[in-house]
Amino acid sequence: MVKLEGETKNISHNKRWNLIFGALIAVLIAVAFAYASNSPNLSLFRSIHKSCFCAKDKDKYSGVVEDCCCDYETVNHINEQVLHPSLQELVKTSFFRYFKVKLWCDCPFWPEDGMCRLRDCSVCECPEGEFPESFKNPLRRSLSSDDLVCQEGKPQAAVDRTVDSKAFRGWTVTDNPWTSDDETDNADMTYVNLQLNPERYTGYIGPSARRIWDAVYSENCPKYPSEELCQEEKILYKLISGLHSSISVHIAADYLLDEATNTWGENLTLLYDRVLRYPDRVRNLYFTFLFVLRAVTKAADYLEQAEYETGNPTEDLKTQSIMKQLLYNPKLQAACPLPFDEAKLWKGQSGPELKQRIQGQFRNISALMDCVGCEKCRLWGKLQVLGLGTALKILFSVNGEEHSGQTLQLQRNEVIALMNLLNRLSESVTFVHEKEPSVETIMEGHISSPTASSCPLRRILASIVKT
């Protein structure tokens, strides 16, 4: 068959382009292999089940926690094996279950206009006639959940306002220089059973809720730490950020999924949006956990000898035993003997002045808790800020050589707040550690597919397809 001259030219032209195209593919694949062989984090010869033969990102939470003395793996292990189980048991005892708080205070910064969308945001105070006899008699500490019924018919919102004078034996009554509340003033104080008023989603949303955190960050500590900030200022920011992350974790862990059926459960999308998608927030959570743990271990001798008396000798001995096991656990002492080293702070001539300024900033944060429009949020905000203030007091108000003649003095409410805060942080670390790998895999898959830059071979193949 005779080919026309034009057809012959076209065929030759196509062959040349095919050869060029094939050579280009060979070069690109060679480049990909060379890139893979020189990259310690990428190998094209990994198991076939890896998507596009690309290695996963390196674990974001490995190595030593920044500004601390323990690594993430150790923290997760010791929290799972020692801290979380012991703290869960400790906070359920009568001594650590009741928290004295002033729920009704005027906001010192602006007129409070916040409204809660749910009744779950309120702390129900039962009328006198509905208090069980065990509440009225300080010596009878056994509590029946069937009796804790408020006017709204919500046992979990009941408030224990019993004042047991025996429970205060051996405890000093002093103010905390890091917090704004006058703990020596019993006027308008309420006793709250923390087990019956859990920290969870309350429906407290909108401008009022946002204004609290905006004020905390913008007026009292830098929102975004920069290289110009000193170490102490960065630590204040990280503590507040870590506490904020922990609160968000608890909201996501116990969320009202369906208001119509009153169905509660985990909101993993919220967990990702508020915490997991921001690695610094997770890191700051771990930092705050170790910071508070260091305060507890530093005050170990004081806390061991304290009197945890509530009128129930059997339970009081149990409380003291749990506390001692927690403070002197050999696994904890071996794995993380010094969670945080506070000795490196407040050095130099400006140290005292800097400490006074940051102390004032934290007092402002403490005062802001009176501006929270949700009663239950205010309860947990006050408790956890007091707990953090107590940790600061332990680490920085009594400092060995600088205050050699000064002894540590804690009042009962500070110890209750400190240990409950450590428990909340422990719960948050546990929840994040359990959920983070699967949640990030799911959410990142929904949000976007892996970028071309994350996988050279995928980028090469994509460029070829486009041609």
Side-chain angles (χ1 to χ4, degrees):
M1 184 176 184
V2 181
K3 294 182 180 178
L4 298 178
E5 183 179 351
E7 291 178 343
T8 303
K9 290 182 179 180
N10 287 336
I11 292 172
S12 300
H13 180 76
N14 290 337
K15 285 183 177 180
R16 283 197 299 273
W17 275 110
N18 288 338
L19 290 173
I20 294 172
F21 188 69
L24 179 60
I25 292 177
V27 170
L28 291 175
I29 292 177
V31 170
F33 272 84
Y35 180 91
S37 63
N38 291 326
S39 175
N41 296 322
L42 182 65
S43 174
L44 294 180
F45 299 98
R46 296 195 177 190
S47 301
I48 192 70
H49 71 272
K50 298 288 186 182
S51 175
C52 191
F53 299 103
C54 289
K56 290 185 178 180
D57 292 336
K58 187 179 179 181
D59 187 2
K60 290 179 288 189
Y61 311 116
S62 61
V64 177
V65 179
E66 187 180 12
D67 294 322
C68 293
C69 308
C70 298
D71 58 69
Y72 287 95
E73 293 79 4
T74 299
V75 174
N76 290 326
H77 177 74
I78 206 67
N79 185 44
E80 179 184 355
Q81 297 293 319
V82 177
L83 295 172
H84 188 255
S86 296
L87 288 167
Q88 288 285 291
E89 192 175 6
L90 184 69
V91 297
K92 293 175 183 175
T93 63
S94 293
F95 185 89
F96 286 100
R97 183 188 312 171
Y98 300 106
F99 180 64
K100 184 179 71 171
V101 61
K102 190 178 293 186
L103 289 174
W104 300 104
C105 290
D106 292 332
C107 174
F109 302 107
W110 59 74
E112 176 50 44
D113 56 359
M115 295 294 292
C116 292
R117 194 172 62 85
L118 301 177
R119 288 193 293 180
D120 295 273
C121 110
S122 65
V123 176
C124 175
E125 298 184 20
C126 299
E128 181 68 21
E130 293 190 18
F131 270 78
E133 289 298 319
S134 59
F135 278 24
K136 299 176 183 177
N137 187 343
L139 297 180
R140 293 176 59 190
R141 307 302 300 174
S142 59
L143 303 177
S144 170
S145 59
D146 295 335
D147 294 331
L148 303 176
V149 180
C150 294
Q151 289 178 325
E152 293 184 357
K154 298 174 65 177
Q156 63 269 33
V159 175
D160 176 14
R161 300 182 65 178
T162 304
V163 179
D164 183 0
S165 58
K166 287 193 173 185
F168 290 89
R169 182 184 300 171
W171 293 93
T172 60
V173 182
T174 58
D175 265 343
N176 188 328
W178 291 86
T179 58
S180 66
D181 275 353
D182 182 4
E183 294 294 335
T184 65
D185 181 13
N186 284 320
D188 300 321
M189 286 288 191
T190 298
Y191 275 82
V192 177
N193 187 333
L194 299 173
Q195 294 295 306
L196 304 179
N197 294 276
E199 181 187 22
R200 60 179 182 176
Y201 175 76
T202 62
Y204 182 49
I205 56 177
S208 176
R210 286 194 299 270
R211 182 165 54 178
I212 298 295
W213 287 113
D214 287 345
V216 166
Y217 285 115
S218 63
E219 297 181 21
N220 296 289
C221 63
K223 190 169 185 180
Y224 304 104
S226 67
E227 295 301 324
E228 299 177 359
L229 297 178
C230 64
Q231 183 71 2
E232 291 81 357
E233 289 173 321
K234 289 181 180 179
I235 284 176
L236 176 61
Y237 167 80
K238 291 171 74 171
L239 288 174
I240 298 303
S241 172
L243 178 58
H244 192 179
S245 296
S246 181
I247 293 171
S248 296
V249 169
H250 280 97
I251 292 173
D254 198 359
Y255 195 86
L256 184 59
L257 301 175
D258 190 332
E259 190 171 351
T261 59
N262 196 35
T263 302
W264 293 78
E266 299 172 354
N267 188 333
L268 299 183
T269 301
L270 184 70
L271 177 68
Y272 180 82
D273 289 340
R274 291 194 181 181
V275 181
L276 296 184
R277 72 184 300 176
Y278 305 99
D280 282 347
R281 296 181 183 180
V282 176
R283 296 187 184 106
N284 292 340
L285 168 63
Y286 275 80
F287 171 81
T288 305
F289 179 48
L290 289 175
F291 184 94
V292 176
L293 178 61
R294 168 55 184 156
V296 170
T297 57
K298 184 175 183 178
D301 291 344
Y302 184 96
L303 294 173
E304 180 198 3
Q305 298 172 17
E307 295 186 22
Y308 301 100
E309 188 173 344
T310 63
N312 185 331
T314 302
E315 183 161 341
D316 296 343
L317 285 174
K318 176 184 176 183
T319 303
Q320 200 156 22
S321 175
I322 297 172
M323 180 65 85
K324 188 174 181 179
Q325 292 173 17
L326 177 65
L327 295 171
Y328 299 108
N329 186 282
K331 291 182 180 179
L332 174 61
Q333 292 179 330
C336 194
L338 187 68
F340 173 80
D341 185 9
E342 70 280 3
K344 58 187 178 182
L345 302 177
W346 318 114
K347 299 298 183 181
Q349 294 182 347
S350 60
E353 180 183 351
L354 177 63
K355 177 179 174 181
Q356 194 171 28
R357 186 175 81 243
I358 293 180
Q359 200 172 71
Q361 290 175 328
F362 193 83
R363 275 200 302 268
N364 283 343
I365 294 172
S366 174
L368 275 166
M369 295 303 102
D370 286 325
C371 301
V372 177
C374 160
E375 194 177 61
K376 193 171 288 184
C377 306
R378 189 183 308 134
L379 163 65
W380 282 103
K382 279 176 169 280
L383 180 143
Q384 293 179 94
V385 168
L386 175 60
L388 199 52
T390 303
L392 289 163
K393 175 181 176 179
I394 292 171
L395 294 181
F396 302 132
S397 296
V398 180
N399 188 6
E401 298 177 0
E402 187 178 347
H403 302 283
S404 56
Q406 185 177 350
T407 58
L408 177 64
Q409 290 187 325
L410 299 175
Q411 51 104 2
R412 182 179 189 260
N413 225 32
E414 289 177 325
V415 175
I416 293 170
L418 177 68
M419 300 310 296
N420 272 279
L421 170 61
L422 185 61
N423 178 61
R424 304 310 283 172
L425 293 168
S426 171
E427 289 178 341
S428 295
V429 167
T430 298
F431 194 73
V432 165
H433 179 58
E434 290 177 351
K435 302 296 181 181
E436 186 265 338
S438 58
V439 170
E440 288 216 341
T441 300
I442 295 171
M443 296 305 300
E444 288 177 356
H446 286 182
I447 293 172
S448 62
S449 59
T451 59
S453 60
S454 65
C455 180
L457 184 56
R458 183 182 287 114
R459 183 175 67 246
I460 294 168
L461 295 177
S463 66
I464 293 174
V465 171
K466 286 181 181 179
T467 59

